[in-house]
Amino acid sequence: MFGKLIYLIRRALRNMFQSPVLCIATVGTVTVSLCILTFFAIIVLNVQSMTRHWSQEVQVVAYLDEVPSAAQISALVQSAEALPEVVEVVYVTRQQAFAGFRDRLGDDALLLDGLDDDFLPASLRLTLHEEFRNRLGVEQVVGELKKTGGYSDFRYGQDWLDRFESLLNLLRIAGAVLGGFLLFAALFIVANTIKLTVYARREELEVMSLVGGTSMFIKSPFLIEGAVQGVVGGCLAISLSYLLFTAFLAGGLETLFLASGVAEIVFLPFFYQLLVLAAGILIGILGSLISLRKFVRI
Amino acid sequence: MIQLYNICKSYSKDGTALEDVNLKIPKGDFVYITGPSGAGKSTLLKLLYVAERPTRGQILINGQNVTRMSVAKIPFLRRQLGIVFQDFKLINSRTIFENVAFPLEVRGRKRFEVGKKVYQVLKNVGLEHKLTKFPLQLSGGEQQRVAIARALVMEPLVLLADEPTGNLDLEVTLEIMDLFKGANARGTTVLLATHDREMMRRFPRRQICLENGRLTEDWIP
C-alpha cells in the first residue's frame, strides 16, 4: 500500500518535471485565482472589523424617572447586569449627563449658561455582547428593563440600527455571492488549464487503460499532481498577496477604513491562510477530476 | 476460451458494424480475422477488450460474461489480454523499458521483478540493447516489437492484434509473425485481424472472414 503510494507520487512528480511549461501554467493559474480570492477575503475581513467597530455604537440608554437612592441604583444596575445580553452597565448621574452635553456642544456650550446642572435625567448606559448588537437583541433587553420598571424612556438609535442591519445583510449577501462566484471562476479556469495537461497525455491515459490500469491507478497521479500544484499555487498566492498587500492594498484600505475609526488594517490571519491552501488543494484536485472525466472512461 | 453468441453491434440506426456473429475459439488457437476494410474486424476485437459493448448478444472470455461486466471489472479482464495495434500505441515520452514495464507496474509488481521480466521479454523480441531508447528513435518494425513485448510481458491468456503488420514490409512482417507464433506455442490464444493474404498463405491457420459485419467463412487448414 505504502509502496504503491510512493510509486504514484513518483509518477506524479515525474509527469510534472516532464512537462514543465504546462505545470507552470497550472501553478500560475492557481496562484492568480487564489490571489484574487485572498484579496477578496482581506477586504471582507477588514469590512467585518469595520462593522464590528461601528456596532460598538449600539448601546441602550435607559432614562430614570426619579433620582434614585444609592440602594435603588445598585439594585437597578445589578438587575441590568444580570441580563445575559449585557456586558457592562454604567450609571450616568444628572450632573454627568449635563457635563457630557456641555462637552458635545463645544463652542455653543454658552447656551447652557444659567441652566441648572440637574435638568437632564439620570440614566443607565448598557453595552451589549457583540452577538446581541442588533435590533432583536436590543429589543429583548428593552423588554426586560420595561418589566423591571422605574424607567421613563429608552433610546437605542432605532433608525440607525435598522440601516446598520440592512448594510450588514447587504455585505453578507454580496460577500457570499462574490466569494462563490470567484471560487467557481477559479475552479473553471484551473480545470481548463489542467485539461491541457491531460490532453497532452491522452495517449498515456489510453495505454494505461488498455494494459489494465484501474480508474484509480490512472487518475491518482493526476490528482496528486493537482494537489501539489494547488499547494504550491496557494503558497505563492499568499506570498504574492502579502507583497501586494504591504505595497499597495494596505495604504488604499487605510485611507478608506481609518477614516471610519478602524484601528488597523490586517492581512489574512493564519487560519484563513490555511483555508487558502485548502482551497488550492481542492481546486487542483477538482480541476483534475473534471478534466479526467472526459479522457478516462476505461 | 472465447465464445460469441448472436453478436450484433450498430453505431447508428442505419449502420451495422456486426450482425449475428457466432464464434467459438478454443484455448491455444491461432485465428486470423480477415475481410475488407470496414468489415467489422476492429469492432470485433474492441468488443473482446470491452472498448465497445455489443448492441445484442453475449460474449464469454475464459468463462466470464464480458457483455454485462461492470466498468470496475474491465481492467482485471484486460490484464488477461495482450493487445497490439497497427499504430503501436507506445508512449513516446517514455523509454522502451518503461513502455514494456507499464503492464507490470499497473499490477503493482516489485521493481526488481519488473526489471528482470522486462529485460527477458525485450531479449525475446531482440531489443534488449535498446531499452533506454525512446519509441521515436526506433524503426516501425522495432516499435511494433516493443508493442508485442508489452503485450506479452504478462504472459496473457489471449493476444489480440489489430492489423499489427499493416505498416511494415515483408521482412519485418515475418519477424513479427515469428513472435506471434512463439507466444501461441507457449499457450497464448492469438486473434489476429489482418487482410494480408501473403501472411496467411505463408502461415496458414484458422481463418474467419467477415464481410459487411457478417461472418461469411470459417476455414480451418
Side-chain angles (χ1 to χ4, degrees):
Chain A
M1 184 66 200
F2 188 66
K4 203 168 185 179
L5 186 69
I6 297 279
Y7 168 76
L8 292 172
I9 291 173
R10 229 181 38 227
R11 248 182 55 206
L13 292 177
R14 196 201 154 138
N15 285 346
M16 287 164 76
F17 285 114
Q18 215 157 39
S19 39
V21 175
L22 285 173
C23 181
I24 290 168
T26 311
V27 170
T29 317
V30 174
T31 306
V32 172
S33 308
L34 289 180
C35 236
I36 295 169
L37 262 177
T38 306
F39 277 135
F40 177 72
I42 291 171
I43 292 169
V44 167
L45 280 176
N46 281 289
V47 167
Q48 262 179 1
S49 107
M50 182 176 79
T51 54
R52 204 173 300 128
H53 178 82
W54 285 349
S55 78
Q56 282 167 7
E57 302 283 321
V58 178
Q59 271 189 338
V60 175
V61 182
Y63 294 101
L64 299 165
D65 280 336
E66 308 276 326
V67 177
S69 66
Q72 279 173 319
I73 292 166
S74 125
L76 282 171
V77 170
Q78 266 178 17
S79 72
E81 272 177 347
L83 294 174
E85 298 89 351
V86 176
V87 184
E88 193 188 17
V89 180
V90 177
Y91 172 65
V92 181
T93 61
R94 290 179 158 197
Q95 285 71 28
Q96 282 167 338
F98 183 77
F101 188 37
R102 181 181 279 279
D103 285 347
R104 278 211 295 280
L105 283 176
D107 291 343
D108 298 323
L110 288 172
L111 293 167
L112 298 176
D113 284 353
L115 286 172
D116 290 339
D117 63 359
D118 59 354
F119 81 97
L120 290 173
S123 60
L124 293 185
R125 284 177 201 272
L126 287 76
T127 310
L128 307 186
H129 281 293
E130 204 179 312
E131 63 267 35
F132 296 108
R133 285 177 198 160
N134 51 47
R135 191 179 183 87
L136 200 72
V138 165
E139 281 176 352
Q140 224 168 308
V141 170
V142 170
E144 288 298 320
L145 292 179
K146 274 182 181 163
K147 277 186 214 160
T148 322
Y151 300 103
S152 61
D153 196 11
F154 299 94
R155 284 276 177 275
Y156 48 86
Q158 289 90 329
D159 291 345
W160 183 85
L161 203 59
D162 279 346
R163 282 203 297 272
F164 180 61
E165 277 192 6
S166 314
L167 175 73
L168 277 188
N169 280 336
L170 187 74
L171 286 177
R172 262 184 222 126
I173 293 168
V177 170
L178 261 174
F181 176 75
L182 281 177
L183 201 66
F184 182 76
L187 181 64
F188 182 76
I189 295 166
V190 172
N192 273 302
T193 315
I194 292 177
K195 202 177 269 179
L196 292 177
T197 319
V198 177
Y199 186 77
R201 292 208 210 115
R202 64 194 185 285
E203 282 175 1
E204 189 178 328
L205 292 170
E206 189 189 356
V207 171
M208 277 198 269
S209 147
L210 287 175
V211 300
T214 57
S215 173
M216 218 43 223
F217 178 87
I218 300 169
K219 287 177 180 171
S220 297
F222 287 91
L223 299 184
I224 294 170
E225 196 177 329
V228 170
Q229 287 166 338
V231 170
V232 175
C235 288
L236 285 176
I238 292 167
S239 315
L240 190 66
S241 307
Y242 185 74
L243 283 177
L244 292 174
F245 173 80
T246 42
F248 307 107
L249 194 68
L253 284 177
E254 230 161 43
T255 38
L256 186 72
F257 287 146
L258 292 188
S260 320
V262 176
E264 58 168 346
I265 303 301
V266 291
F267 185 65
L268 221 52
F270 183 64
F271 174 70
Y272 285 87
Q273 292 178 24
L274 289 181
L275 279 185
V276 170
L277 276 188
I281 295 172
L282 192 76
I283 286 174
I285 291 176
L286 278 180
S288 298
L289 266 182
I290 293 169
S291 314
L292 284 166
R293 236 178 28 173
K294 197 181 164 188
F295 293 98
V296 183
R297 287 179 185 155
I298 297 290
Chain B
M1 171 59 58
I2 298 172
Q3 290 144 287
L4 279 78
Y5 299 103
N6 310 109
I7 288 300
C8 292
K9 176 69 187 173
S10 48
Y11 291 100
S12 62
K13 277 182 186 169
D14 313 321
T16 307
L18 288 175
E19 192 146 357
D20 207 23
V21 175
N22 287 287
L23 191 60
K24 276 187 187 175
I25 298 169
K27 188 174 177 352
D29 213 354
F30 192 120
V31 182
Y32 290 114
I33 302 166
T34 68
S37 294
K41 304 187 293 287
S42 297
T43 303
L44 182 65
L45 293 184
K46 280 181 184 170
L47 292 177
L48 293 177
Y49 62 83
V50 207
E52 302 280 357
R53 304 266 189 175
T55 315
R56 221 171 48 231
Q58 307 291 328
I59 300 172
L60 295 172
I61 298 178
N62 202 23
Q64 291 172 280
N65 189 338
V66 303
T67 331
R68 292 193 208 131
M69 187 170 266
S70 68
V71 172
K73 283 188 180 161
I74 295 172
F76 301 97
L77 169 80
R78 288 185 184 161
R79 290 177 190 188
Q80 301 174 50
L81 311 175
I83 314 169
V84 179
F85 297 92
Q86 183 177 6
D87 60 353
F88 324 130
K89 291 207 190 296
L90 297 173
I91 303 167
N92 293 332
S93 58
R94 299 274 195 261
T95 63
I96 301 309
F97 179 91
E98 288 167 328
N99 267 284
V100 179
F102 232 42
L104 296 164
E105 287 176 1
V106 162
R107 289 159 180 81
R109 293 290 158 89
K110 297 269 184 299
R111 283 179 95 177
F112 73 90
E113 190 192 343
V114 172
K116 220 167 97 179
K117 276 209 146 190
V118 171
Y119 183 79
Q120 191 55 51
V121 77
L122 279 174
K123 200 173 168 195
N124 289 346
V125 300
L127 288 173
E128 75 278 14
H129 54 291
K130 295 205 168 169
L131 42 84
T132 54
K133 299 263 188 223
F134 289 89
L136 295 179
Q137 293 174 308
L138 304 185
S139 69
E142 286 172 327
Q143 288 188 53
Q144 193 57 293
R145 273 149 64 190
V146 174
I148 293 170
R150 184 183 62 194
L152 294 177
V153 73
M154 282 309 297
E155 293 156 14
L157 292 173
V158 181
L159 185 65
L160 305 172
D162 192 1
E163 304 274 6
T165 56
N167 289 334
L168 308 174
D169 58 35
L170 184 63
E171 195 184 332
V172 180
T173 299
L174 296 179
E175 285 173 21
I176 299 290
M177 279 309 291
D178 279 339
L179 296 174
F180 286 131
K181 280 193 317 186
N184 185 234
R186 290 191 294 275
T188 300
T189 308
V190 179
L191 265 80
L192 202 155
T194 183
H195 51 238
D196 189 340
R197 296 240 161 247
E198 177 61 21
M199 191 166 74
M200 289 184 273
R201 195 185 60 75
R202 282 177 183 255
F203 306 102
R205 291 287 193 277
R206 182 180 171 190
Q207 285 177 26
I208 290 162
C209 186
L210 290 171
E211 270 174 51
N212 293 323
R214 287 183 175 276
L215 203 159
T216 54
E217 194 184 331
D218 189 348
W219 177 78
I220 301 171

